[in-house]
Amino acid sequence: MRAASIKDVATHAGVAVGTVSNVLNYPDRVAEKTRQRVLNSINELGFIRNDVARQLRAGHSRTIGLIVLDIGNPFFTSISRAAEDAASESGNAVVLGNSGHDANRERHYIDLFEEQRVQGVLISPVSDITERLSALTARGTKVVLVDSPSSEGDFSSVSVDDVHGGYTATKHLLDIGRRKIAFVAGPQHFHQVSDRLAGARNAVAEFPDATLEILQGNDLTVLAGREVGDTLVMRQQGELPDGLFCANDLLALGMIQSLTMLHTLRIPEDVALVGYDDIDFAASAVVPLTSISQPTAMIGRTAIELLAEQLDNPDAKPRSVVFKPELVVRASTTEAQSHQR
Amino acid sequence: MRAASIKDVATHAGVAVGTVSNVLNYPDRVAEKTRQRVLNSINELGFIRNDVARQLRAGHSRTIGLIVLDIGNPFFTSISRAAEDAASESGNAVVLGNSGHDANRERHYIDLFEEQRVQGVLISPVSDITERLSALTARGTKVVLVDSPSSEGDFSSVSVDDVHGGYTATKHLLDIGRRKIAFVAGPQHFHQVSDRLAGARNAVAEFPDATLEILQGNDLTVLAGREVGDTLVMRQQGELPDGLFCANDLLALGMIQSLTMLHTLRIPEDVALVGYDDIDFAASAVVPLTSISQPTAMIGRTAIELLAEQLDNPDAKPRSVVFKPELVVRASTTEAQSHQR
DNA sequence: TCTAATTCTTGAAACGATTCATTAGTACGA
DNA sequence: TCGTACTAATGAATCGTTTCAAGAATTAGA
């Protein structure tokens, strides 16, 4: 009941193991007649090549590890889907690990991937693990940072200019006349949060009569957004911001939920709202959400390409690609509520 | 620059390779002094165990393959997260493959996983691939069907009683007095769709004055839901259904989007709405969605357990677990719009 | 001090593929 | 018929572990 090996096939076909291997890898080195005989044996025995043995001999696998911060966030789902597609074009598979913003799980996955001798690791880091990643690189496993700029240029990286995105989002609110801006934050040690806030600050600084308030959420989830929103709706009318910029779309969806609950506040008339990431659910929210679109498909694909670069030319300098995010205007910031899509 | 092997460690520590292996796998077979010496060498050389070689020797990997229908659907994300957690408790890793309802990609992943000699495959099948899966089993790779009942009892399976779920959803609409029911379908060759419809039929049959209409969507996505919704809002007032049951939440969210767009229809007063899956975004929709909750975490975890069962006892009969889904009532079907959560 | 029992350590074999230097076989021209 | 040139096929070595029978070293008991 043991799975058939190349040796079994060789015996069955009456040839040497090397010949079977050639049939699989260099078919035209083998005479037509022999090849047919071997192929028949392969079918008859139900032989499936053992990739583990192949990898051992080759010294590396056909696998790429991807470690994301939150698989429940459509932003990362979308990236991983793109990475998977791009990788499979070159015959590689992507193994997905979900750190869930937990440094221990992150470490666990790095260890696992290194033991599995993956070709490379794409990672959206939770914590500062430059050291661990350098060790990885030193031993030959390539690393590409995803959605995180390379601090010292040690690694290749794909990222999106979050400061610029934060600026764009906030500038848009200011441009439509809002002056009492609030930033709905997530935990500020997430660089995504602090960078977007920095951008918001830059934009507000350009308008002397504008103010920026920070509403602290304790996570980047819908629930956290609702919690922040609930505190907001309790305020006096005059103390409300008229422009809200949320650190991501999940927060923004939670905000919408809270703000529309009592039907006392109108979006965007009373409060205009901008999210970040432009996830699919943002476009299909009941008040379609203006958001900052990140090219997730490009991010995933580029990560794979940067990795391929490193693999093809081991001495290549790491390269960083930074995308510019784009504003997508929808009903949550447009007074004339057009219903077009 | 080649990664250090166990042999390098042995040389460096002045012991035999077998001893290094023992330090890693059976530490108490090795004298304290020797063990320390070996551990030092391991650290100094930055040795990382090569899991590929280990697997080759062991004959199997520590990896489990999971093939889902749509990684963009939070239903599957949630299952895979649970499976991953459960697997990691026993030191196994889950490799995720996304078939995207495409039979070719499905086949591709099965091949890949078999070549990688994964311990087992958890799969939510697109097409009827019983034959291919039987071949897998015959060669020693265990199979567990996920969200799909085992047709002939050939494989272990975890599923949820979709007929019952469809019944429950529809019965709820009938119980709150709705009689003109419509089922918003996805492609009917998805068994999830046809089963839920069957349940809906059963419920409607219990009420002589009730009717059931089928609105055909061409996918199980938010966009498809909007398309169906758009055709619906064009209808005359009298021809509208007063109770809608959507084949899944994504469709339902699209429906809400369309129905509320023109502010001519009220949910639930004019049309009550029930979805299916109870994804996170259902609870946080602006009209919180009544839905049929599936125990996704349990599904993922149980799939891993069923697999473990097969692995521990290769002769164990396949076992099928069927969960009952549960109705979760929210504002989309409750006239007295309570704002509690 | 000697023997027996116990604990440590050794190193070759095995896992299943690929590689590559050799050998075997074939075809052709002289 | 022989030699040359080429194509096919062979099978041992290799990748980095784990396993395990056997040998070496240590300890305990008398």
Side-chain angles (χ1 to χ4, degrees):
Chain A
M1 253 268 324
R2 208 186 77 270
S5 78
I6 215 176
K7 204 183 285 179
D8 300 324
V9 175
T11 308
H12 187 272
V15 298
V17 290
T19 303
V20 178
S21 175
N22 281 334
V23 169
L24 295 171
N25 300 294
Y26 307 94
D28 35 340
R29 281 191 195 163
V30 180
E32 176 64 18
K33 241 181 65 185
T34 318
R35 211 178 71 224
Q36 281 311 328
R37 199 144 39 91
V38 171
L39 288 176
N40 282 341
S41 298
I42 286 179
N43 275 331
E44 245 173 86
L45 299 181
F47 166 78
I48 300 267
R49 189 212 258 106
N50 185 329
D51 204 44
V52 176
R54 200 237 280 260
Q55 280 178 28
L56 175 59
R57 182 63 233 246
H60 62 88
S61 71
R62 299 200 129 296
T63 309
I64 294 163
L66 169 61
I67 305 176
V68 300
L69 289 173
D70 176 14
I71 189 66
N73 188 337
F75 172 71
F76 287 110
T77 331
S78 178
I79 289 179
S80 64
R81 212 171 347 182
E84 205 185 333
D85 288 346
S88 81
E89 280 169 22
S90 46
N92 290 117
V94 171
V95 187
L96 190 61
N98 178 39
S99 71
H101 287 285
D102 176 339
N104 282 330
R105 295 187 56 148
E106 175 173 67
R107 186 166 302 273
H108 174 77
Y109 274 113
I110 296 178
D111 290 349
L112 180 74
F113 288 159
E114 188 167 16
E115 288 189 358
Q116 296 190 337
R117 297 292 191 274
V118 297
Q119 299 212 48
V121 171
L122 316 181
I123 180 172
S124 211
V126 177
S127 48
D128 180 13
I129 41 166
T130 313
E131 215 173 302
R132 180 75 182 80
L133 296 179
S134 298
L136 258 188
T137 318
R139 296 189 207 102
T141 304
K142 306 304 176 190
V143 171
V144 175
L145 301 181
V146 175
D147 194 37
S148 179
S150 179
S151 37
E152 313 282 332
D154 303 336
F155 311 106
S156 282
S157 69
V158 213
S159 58
V160 184
D161 187 340
D162 276 331
V163 176
H164 184 261
Y167 174 86
T168 308
T170 311
K171 184 75 175 357
H172 173 62
L173 289 171
L174 293 161
D175 283 346
I176 61 172
R178 307 306 162 109
R179 288 298 175 268
K180 296 168 70 172
I181 309 294
F183 176 68
V184 182
Q188 299 218 16
H189 60 271
F190 296 176
H191 71 86
Q192 289 90 344
V193 174
S194 51
D195 286 358
R196 289 164 199 179
L197 173 55
R201 287 216 163 93
N202 294 346
V204 169
E206 294 178 2
F207 291 72
D209 56 338
T211 58
L212 179 65
E213 176 187 5
I214 294 174
L215 303 172
Q216 188 63 47
N218 56 27
D219 205 345
L220 287 175
T221 60
V222 173
L223 190 62
R226 280 219 300 243
E227 286 167 0
V228 175
D230 286 349
T231 68
L232 206 58
V233 293
M234 310 282 277
R235 292 196 186 176
Q236 302 288 330
Q237 190 71 24
E239 296 174 358
L240 283 169
D242 56 9
L244 277 179
F245 168 37
C246 302
N248 82 352
D249 280 351
L250 299 180
L251 279 175
L253 291 177
M255 286 299 295
I256 293 186
Q257 176 72 6
S258 279
L259 299 184
T260 56
M261 189 67 79
L262 302 177
H263 301 284
T264 54
L265 284 174
R266 290 162 307 161
I267 300 174
E269 291 80 355
D270 300 314
V271 186
L273 198 65
V274 182
Y276 206 107
D277 286 348
D278 194 27
I279 63 177
D280 286 347
F281 294 100
S284 68
V286 168
V287 183
L289 185 64
T290 293
S291 191
I292 301 292
S293 162
Q294 310 207 62
T296 48
M298 281 300 293
I299 295 173
R301 178 164 289 276
T302 306
I304 295 289
E305 279 166 12
L306 289 174
L307 182 62
E309 238 173 68
Q310 300 274 317
L311 291 171
D312 291 348
N313 179 0
D315 305 322
K317 272 231 186 84
R319 197 160 69 85
S320 286
V321 175
V322 180
F323 290 107
K324 285 265 183 268
E326 277 183 14
L327 180 71
V328 177
V329 178
R330 297 204 184 84
S332 74
T333 58
T334 43
E335 301 269 350
Q337 261 196 301
S338 82
H339 287 137
Q340 81 197 12
R341 290 164 201 165
Chain B
M1 253 268 324
R2 208 188 78 271
S5 78
I6 216 176
K7 205 183 283 178
D8 300 324
V9 174
T11 308
H12 186 272
V15 298
V17 290
T19 303
V20 178
S21 175
N22 281 334
V23 168
L24 295 171
N25 300 295
Y26 307 94
D28 34 341
R29 282 193 196 163
V30 180
E32 176 64 20
K33 241 181 67 185
T34 318
R35 210 178 72 224
Q36 281 311 328
R37 199 143 40 90
V38 171
L39 288 176
N40 282 341
S41 298
I42 286 179
N43 276 330
E44 245 172 86
L45 298 181
F47 166 79
I48 300 267
R49 187 213 260 105
N50 185 329
D51 203 44
V52 176
R54 200 238 280 261
Q55 280 177 29
L56 175 59
R57 182 64 234 243
H60 61 89
S61 71
R62 299 201 130 294
T63 308
I64 294 163
L66 168 61
I67 305 176
V68 300
L69 289 172
D70 176 12
I71 187 68
N73 188 336
F75 172 72
F76 287 111
T77 329
S78 176
I79 289 179
S80 63
R81 209 172 345 183
E84 205 185 333
D85 287 346
S88 81
E89 279 170 21
S90 47
N92 290 117
V94 171
V95 188
L96 190 60
N98 178 39
S99 70
H101 288 286
D102 176 338
N104 282 330
R105 296 187 53 150
E106 174 174 68
R107 188 167 300 273
H108 174 77
Y109 274 113
I110 296 177
D111 290 348
L112 180 74
F113 288 160
E114 188 167 17
E115 288 190 358
Q116 296 191 337
R117 297 293 192 275
V118 296
Q119 299 212 49
V121 172
L122 315 182
I123 180 171
S124 211
V126 176
S127 49
D128 180 13
I129 41 166
T130 312
E131 217 174 300
R132 180 75 181 82
L133 295 179
S134 298
L136 258 187
T137 316
R139 296 189 206 100
T141 304
K142 306 304 176 190
V143 170
V144 176
L145 300 181
V146 175
D147 194 36
S148 179
S150 180
S151 37
E152 312 282 333
D154 302 337
F155 311 107
S156 283
S157 70
V158 213
S159 57
V160 183
D161 187 339
D162 277 330
V163 176
H164 184 261
Y167 174 86
T168 308
T170 311
K171 184 75 177 352
H172 173 61
L173 290 170
L174 293 161
D175 284 345
I176 62 172
R178 308 306 163 108
R179 287 297 177 270
K180 297 168 70 173
I181 310 294
F183 177 67
V184 183
Q188 299 216 16
H189 59 272
F190 296 177
H191 71 85
Q192 288 89 345
V193 174
S194 51
D195 286 357
R196 289 163 200 179
L197 172 55
R201 287 214 163 95
N202 293 346
V204 169
E206 295 178 0
F207 292 71
D209 55 337
T211 58
L212 178 65
E213 176 187 5
I214 294 175
L215 303 172
Q216 188 64 49
N218 56 27
D219 205 346
L220 287 175
T221 60
V222 172
L223 190 62
R226 281 216 301 241
E227 287 166 2
V228 175
D230 286 349
T231 67
L232 206 57
V233 292
M234 311 281 278
R235 293 198 185 174
Q236 303 289 331
Q237 191 72 26
E239 295 174 358
L240 282 169
D242 54 10
L244 277 178
F245 168 37
C246 301
N248 81 355
D249 281 350
L250 299 180
L251 279 175
L253 291 177
M255 286 300 296
I256 293 186
Q257 176 73 8
S258 278
L259 300 184
T260 56
M261 189 68 79
L262 302 178
H263 301 286
T264 54
L265 282 174
R266 290 162 307 161
I267 300 175
E269 290 81 353
D270 300 315
V271 187
L273 197 65
V274 182
Y276 207 108
D277 285 348
D278 193 28
I279 64 178
D280 287 348
F281 294 101
S284 67
V286 168
V287 183
L289 185 64
T290 293
S291 190
I292 301 292
S293 161
Q294 309 207 64
T296 48
M298 280 301 292
I299 295 172
R301 177 164 290 275
T302 305
I304 295 289
E305 278 167 13
L306 288 174
L307 182 62
E309 237 173 68
Q310 299 274 316
L311 291 171
D312 291 348
N313 180 0
D315 305 322
K317 273 231 185 83
R319 197 159 70 87
S320 286
V321 175
V322 180
F323 288 107
K324 285 265 182 269
E326 277 183 15
L327 180 71
V328 178
V329 178
R330 298 202 183 84
S332 74
T333 58
T334 42
E335 300 271 346
Q337 261 195 301
S338 82
H339 286 136
Q340 83 199 10
R341 291 164 199 163

